Amino acid sequence: MSVHAFVSLKQPDLHAISALASLKTAFGDAAPKNLFRCRHLVFTAAAYPALSADFLTPLLATRFDIVNPNKEQIGWNVPPVVTLSDGLALFWIDLIPRQPDPAPKLRLADREVAMTSRVTWGIVLPTGGLGNEALQSRVFDVFVIGKSGVSPLLVNPVLETAQFI
Amino acid sequence: MGVVRIAVIQFPGTNCEYETQRALISAEASADIVSWQLSSEELVRYDGVVIAGGFSFQDRVRAGAIAAQLPIMQGVREMAAAGKPVLGICNGCQVLAEAGLIPMGEAGNIEVGMAHNTREGQPIGFICDWVYVRVQPSNNLFLKGLEDHVLPIPINHGEGRFVLTDRAIAALPTLGSLVYCDSAGEVTPHFPINPNGAYANLAGLGNLDGNVLAMMPHPERANFLKQIPTFIDSVWADHKQQFPNALIETPGPWAVLFQNMVTYCHRQGDH
C-alpha cells in the first residue's frame, strides 16, 4: 500500500523557470508554454492498518526536514491542479531512477514507513489540434528523449526513465 | 605559433575560473575568462577551452544540465570536433557529460551520467577531500607523460559518481581516464578509496579522439607545490616538507596537465 505526495513550492520554482527558458532557446515556438516541478514522495508501509493521507498529514506537519511548510505545499495522490487556458494541455511526467537508492525508513507515530523521492515535471503545451496520444508522443520525443542534436533537459536518460502519470 | 590562447568559460555560478586561469598562465598560455554569452563564432577562435568548476545556474534541474544547453556549447562542440583541447573540471565535467561530449562526442546523445555521491549504495551528500588518482595509459593529450602516475588531488562535489551506458562501458578501454586509488596506486571499489561510488572508480574520462577530458577532481588546486597539504601520503607532500619556502610558481603534480594542453596547441599551430 503506497501513498503519494506531490510536494511543490509555494513560490516560483527556479528549476522550472530556468528549464523553460532553456527549452525556449532550444526549441523556439515549439517549446512548452509552461513547466511545473514537484518532488514526488512515495510512502510505503506494511499492509495493515492501511496507510493514508489522513495518517501522514499531521505527522509530516512536524517533519520540516521532509516538507518545509514555509516554502512548500503537499498535494496527496494526484499532482497539483492547474487551470489552463483553452487550447493548452498539461502532461505530468514522473522520472524513475534507473538505480534507485534504498528507501530510507521513517518512524511515524508507531509505524515504520519507507519513503522514496523522485521528480515529477508538469509540461504545458498547445494542443494544436492534436489528439492526446499524438501530444504525448511529441512531449516524450522532443522534451524527454531529445532530438536534432539537442541533449534532453528534463530527463537524463542514463540516470532515469520517464513515464506519464 | 605565438602565444596559445585558451578560453575559460564563466557561467553564472562558476567559482574556479581564476585558479584555472592562473594554472594556464603558469603553463605560459594566454588565458581569458569569457562570458557564457560569448558567441560560438568568437569562442572557436581560441586554441582551446576549459569549463571550470562551480555550480553553474545553481545546479538547477541537474548539475551542468542548463549550461549544457546554452548556445556557447555549440562552439565547444565545434572545437572538440576540430581536434582542439577541451577540458571540463568538476562542474565542467558535468557540463561535458550533459552535452554528450564524452565519450562519443555525439551531440544530443548522453552516454555518461553524473549521479549523486554514494557510499556502498547509500547517498552520502557533498564530499570535500584529498584523494589519489591513477592515470590510465591512453591517447588523451592532457594525460601524456602522466601514465600510471599516482597523484594527489582534491575533490569537491555532490554529484560526481560516473554512471555509464553499456556503449560507453564497451569503449572504456580505449579512452583516457583517471581512476580513484589509494596512495600506493591500488584500485579498490570501496569507500574511501572510491569516494563517491563511481563506476570502475572513474574520476575522469576522455573522448575517443583524446582531445577532450572531463574530470571531477580539481587539477587547478594542485597545480603548484604550495597547494599540496603535508598531511597526505605522497611524494609531493614530502617535496613540500623538504622545500617549505618553495616559490609560489614551483610546479605541483598537475602542472603537467595544463602544460600538455598548451604544448598540444603549439604543435597544432605549427602544422
Side-chain angles (χ1 to χ4, degrees):
Chain A
M1 170 65 190
S2 296
V3 175
H4 298 251
F6 292 87
V7 181
S8 56
L9 287 174
K10 293 174 179 173
Q11 302 97 330
D13 186 322
L14 295 176
H15 291 270
I17 289 170
S18 293
L20 184 60
S22 187
L23 289 173
K24 282 183 173 169
T25 301
F27 292 102
D29 290 343
K33 295 298 176 199
N34 209 348
L35 280 178
F36 302 97
R37 184 176 174 275
C38 298
R39 281 193 299 131
H40 180 176
L41 307 179
V42 183
F43 298 91
T44 311
Y48 186 83
L51 203 56
S52 68
D54 288 344
F55 171 78
L56 289 168
T57 299
L59 297 172
L60 280 186
T62 63
R63 289 295 303 263
F64 301 157
D65 55 322
I66 300 173
V67 179
N68 181 340
N70 291 326
K71 296 180 177 177
E72 296 174 313
Q73 57 207 353
I74 303 175
W76 291 104
N77 290 320
V78 289
V81 175
V82 177
T83 306
L84 296 174
S85 308
D86 284 347
L88 295 176
L90 169 63
F91 296 92
W92 289 100
I93 290 180
D94 228 3
L95 307 190
I96 313 296
R98 289 186 189 274
Q99 296 177 356
D101 295 324
K105 299 282 196 295
L106 306 172
R107 203 75 208 163
L108 295 176
D110 285 335
R111 300 192 69 180
E112 190 173 72
V113 178
M115 184 190 81
T116 61
S117 177
R118 55 193 191 235
V119 170
T120 298
W121 286 102
I123 302 175
V124 177
L125 70 167
T127 56
L130 296 174
N132 201 52
E133 200 171 310
L135 280 170
Q136 280 200 351
S137 175
R138 183 161 166 268
V139 168
F140 212 82
D141 285 351
V142 178
F143 307 121
V144 180
I145 304 297
K147 276 192 169 175
S148 306
V150 179
S151 301
L153 175 61
L154 302 184
V155 177
N156 183 314
V158 181
L159 304 176
E160 302 148 333
T161 60
Q163 66 183 31
F164 287 98
I165 294 180
Chain B
M1 186 180 191
V3 175
V4 167
R5 294 177 67 240
I6 306 290
V8 181
I9 300 178
Q10 181 186 52
F11 297 111
T14 299
N15 63 17
C16 300
E17 64 273 46
Y18 290 96
E19 298 99 309
T20 305
Q21 181 189 43
R22 190 73 196 83
L24 288 161
I25 290 170
S26 76
E28 300 187 352
S30 166
D32 294 341
I33 296 172
V34 302
S35 165
W36 60 282
Q37 292 164 312
L38 189 74
S39 70
S40 290
E41 293 75 18
E42 289 174 280
L43 182 70
V44 297
R45 292 188 196 133
Y46 283 89
D47 301 307
V49 62
V50 183
I51 304 178
F55 301 88
S56 61
F57 296 90
Q58 295 182 321
D59 283 352
R60 291 179 196 172
V61 183
R62 289 180 306 280
I66 296 286
Q69 303 269 330
L70 292 172
I72 195 171
M73 290 306 295
Q74 181 55 34
V76 177
R77 282 193 194 90
E78 288 174 21
M79 293 175 79
K84 292 183 178 181
V86 176
L87 176 63
I89 300 169
C90 195
N91 187 229
C93 171
Q94 295 161 333
V95 173
L96 293 182
E98 286 281 346
L101 275 159
I102 52 167
M104 307 304 181
E106 297 163 350
N109 188 17
I110 298 178
E111 299 279 355
V112 174
M114 305 305 301
H116 61 261
N117 301 333
T118 60
R119 174 180 179 173
E120 318 301 346
Q122 296 281 349
I124 55 167
F126 198 90
I127 45 177
C128 177
D129 204 353
W130 279 80
V131 298
Y132 305 91
V133 298
R134 174 187 280 279
V135 180
Q136 303 294 79
S138 74
N139 66 342
N140 196 282
L141 71 93
F142 292 96
L143 305 176
K144 202 171 169 60
L146 292 173
E147 295 87 350
D148 290 323
H149 283 227
V150 176
L151 301 172
I153 192 164
I155 53 170
N156 207 291
H157 58 251
E159 297 171 32
R161 176 166 53 96
F162 275 86
V163 177
L164 274 59
T165 62
D166 291 344
R167 190 164 171 242
I169 289 171
L172 193 53
T174 64
L175 303 171
S177 66
L178 308 166
V179 293
Y180 296 111
C181 63
D182 66 14
S183 60
E186 199 68 30
V187 178
T188 55
H190 304 293
F191 186 89
I193 306 305
N194 183 347
N196 57 22
Y199 176 80
N201 282 45
L202 282 172
L205 190 64
N207 67 338
L208 289 169
D209 292 335
N211 65 316
V212 177
L213 181 65
M215 58 189 294
M216 286 310 299
H218 286 268
E220 81 283 9
R221 297 182 192 174
N223 184 66
F224 300 109
L225 187 60
K226 281 279 189 190
Q227 296 171 300
I228 308 303
T230 53
F231 62 79
I232 59 173
D233 180 16
S234 168
V235 66
W236 290 96
D238 299 341
H239 285 337
K240 186 173 180 182
Q241 284 182 322
Q242 284 171 4
F243 306 106
N245 297 318
L247 296 172
I248 190 72
E249 292 293 327
T250 303
W254 290 92
V256 173
L257 180 140
F258 294 102
Q259 289 160 4
N260 280 342
M261 185 178 191
V262 175
T263 302
Y264 177 84
C265 292
H266 273 298
R267 289 194 183 136
Q268 291 295 99
D270 291 341
H271 287 295

